[in-house]
């Protein structure tokens, strides 16, 4: 059994990929590689506005994200594709280019925010309770867990008791029971970091949700 977090380099027909040795470490943001449409099945570029005929001058190229066959003109843009763990930038068709471009913004910006973490207050069931504890919440390095580090911040002198921006996370505990945690961003110097963290978390869920709904309709 591979140690936690260990990765290995694998070569697929699409290129070199760095993948986790242990499937349990695979990030939930990861997309599976698409099935490649066989060369022999396609005489024409699959871009409806192009449909160039392939011959020994016009070569076939596969988009690494959708696996469809295109001519060079319709599939010549290369982008990093971290969701499929490619080491180098890979070929994209015009459609897929836009999706990956947006997602790479998530990887460059919001994922860093999630890994750095934000300061929150745990919202107690009992609203009048004074012992709400503040904590740092961050995404684990394999993106699969939320790590919580409690810190001692005095929250006694809060009188107005305004509801701030927060996030409710529903999860299954070790006994497969549904649990909900409600967290509130702490007012003060760390507020911006907490708000940014919540926004990044929402982007993460949206990205996963959107690729699930789009992959079910070919
Ligand atoms: Zn594509
Ligand atoms: Zn084409």
């Amino acid at each position: 059994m591979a140690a936690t977090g260990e990765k290995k380099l694998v070569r697929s027909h699409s290129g070199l990929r760095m993948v986790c040795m242990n499937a349990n470490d695979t990030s939930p943001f990861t997309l599976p590689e698409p099935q490649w449409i066989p060369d022999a099945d396609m005489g024409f570029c699959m871009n409806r506005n192009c449909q160039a005929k392939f011959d020994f001058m016009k070569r076939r190229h596969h988009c690494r994200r959708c696996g469809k066959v295109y001519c060079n003109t319709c599939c010549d843009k290369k982008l990093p594709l971290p969701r499929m763990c490619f080491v180098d930038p890979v070929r994209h068709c015009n459609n897929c280019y836009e999706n990956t471009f947006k997602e790479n913004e998530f990887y460059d910006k919001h994922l860093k925010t999630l890994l750095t973490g934000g300061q929150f207050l745990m919202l107690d069931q009992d609203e009048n309770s004074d012992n709400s504890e503040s904590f740092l919440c961050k995404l684990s390095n394999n993106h699969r867990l939320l790590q919580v580090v409690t810190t001692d911040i005095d929250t006694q002198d809060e009188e107005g008791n305004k509801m701030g921006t927060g996030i409710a996370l529903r999860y299954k505990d070790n006994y497969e029971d549904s649990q909900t945690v409600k967290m509130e961003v702490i007012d003060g110097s760390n507020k911006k970091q907490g708000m940014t963290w919540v926004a990044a978390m929402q982007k993460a869920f949206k990205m996963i949700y959107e690729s699930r709904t789009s992959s079910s309709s070919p």
Side-chain angles (χ1 to χ4, degrees):
M1 190 104 149
T4 321
E6 252 187 284
K7 294 195 170 186
K8 65 177 173 189
L9 207 56
V10 294
R11 182 180 291 279
S12 78
H13 53 211
S14 296
L16 273 181
R17 301 167 67 222
M18 186 65 100
V19 299
C20 294
M21 305 266 284
N22 189 331
N24 292 334
D25 289 332
T26 304
S27 161
F29 304 132
T30 305
L31 285 176
E33 276 190 89
Q35 289 273 22
W36 272 23
I37 299 218
D39 282 359
D41 289 2
M42 275 301 144
F44 302 89
C45 171
M46 290 177 81
N47 177 358
R48 234 177 283 168
N49 301 320
C50 169
Q51 298 189 327
K53 191 179 187 319
F54 295 126
D55 55 30
F56 68 99
M57 290 293 287
K58 260 247 186 286
R59 296 308 187 103
R60 294 171 175 86
H61 297 279
H62 281 91
C63 167
R64 266 49 179 178
R65 184 172 173 130
C66 65
K68 291 181 181 165
V69 189
Y70 297 94
C71 71
N72 183 54
T73 319
C74 299
C75 193
D76 64 344
K77 297 193 200 82
K78 290 194 174 179
L79 267 188
L81 183 45
R83 295 195 75 188
M84 288 184 194
C85 311
F86 287 113
V87 176
D88 299 310
V90 290
R91 270 184 197 271
H92 280 73
C93 69
N94 300 336
N95 261 347
C96 292
Y97 183 88
E98 277 178 36
N99 291 332
T100 300
F101 191 85
K102 264 189 266 160
E103 289 169 4
N104 286 357
E105 194 196 353
F106 172 81
Y107 273 84
D108 293 342
K109 207 164 117 197
H110 307 299
L111 188 56
K112 267 182 208 143
T113 302
L114 292 176
L115 295 171
T116 310
Q119 289 283 349
F120 296 91
L121 278 180
M122 186 74 77
L123 292 186
D124 222 301
Q125 310 288 46
D126 176 8
E127 284 175 19
N128 298 318
S129 152
D130 269 346
N131 52 11
S132 39
E133 210 173 359
S134 82
F135 61 94
L136 177 82
C137 185
K138 59 178 184 177
L139 195 64
S140 66
N141 285 333
N142 64 5
H143 314 151
R144 296 180 73 93
L145 298 168
L146 287 177
Q147 294 171 326
V148 164
V149 185
T150 52
T151 48
D152 277 326
I153 295 178
D154 189 16
T155 56
Q156 299 284 16
D157 51 275
E158 245 183 60
E159 275 175 55
N161 227 355
K162 266 188 294 163
M163 273 288 285
T165 306
I167 188 169
L169 297 170
R170 214 175 307 148
Y171 65 99
K172 290 245 166 82
D173 66 15
N174 291 339
Y175 306 100
E176 292 287 306
D177 288 327
S178 275
Q179 303 282 356
T180 306
V181 186
K182 288 183 182 162
M183 306 172 348
E184 187 186 8
V185 177
I186 298 177
D187 274 327
S189 58
N190 287 324
K191 183 163 186 179
K192 187 157 180 255
Q193 194 196 354
M195 302 279 276
T196 318
W197 194 90
V198 170
M201 201 54 173
Q202 284 163 344
K203 288 200 160 62
F205 285 125
K206 187 163 176 265
M207 187 174 80
I208 292 178
Y209 175 77
E210 279 176 355
S211 48
R212 279 197 185 153
T213 47
S214 70
S215 62
S216 59
S217 56

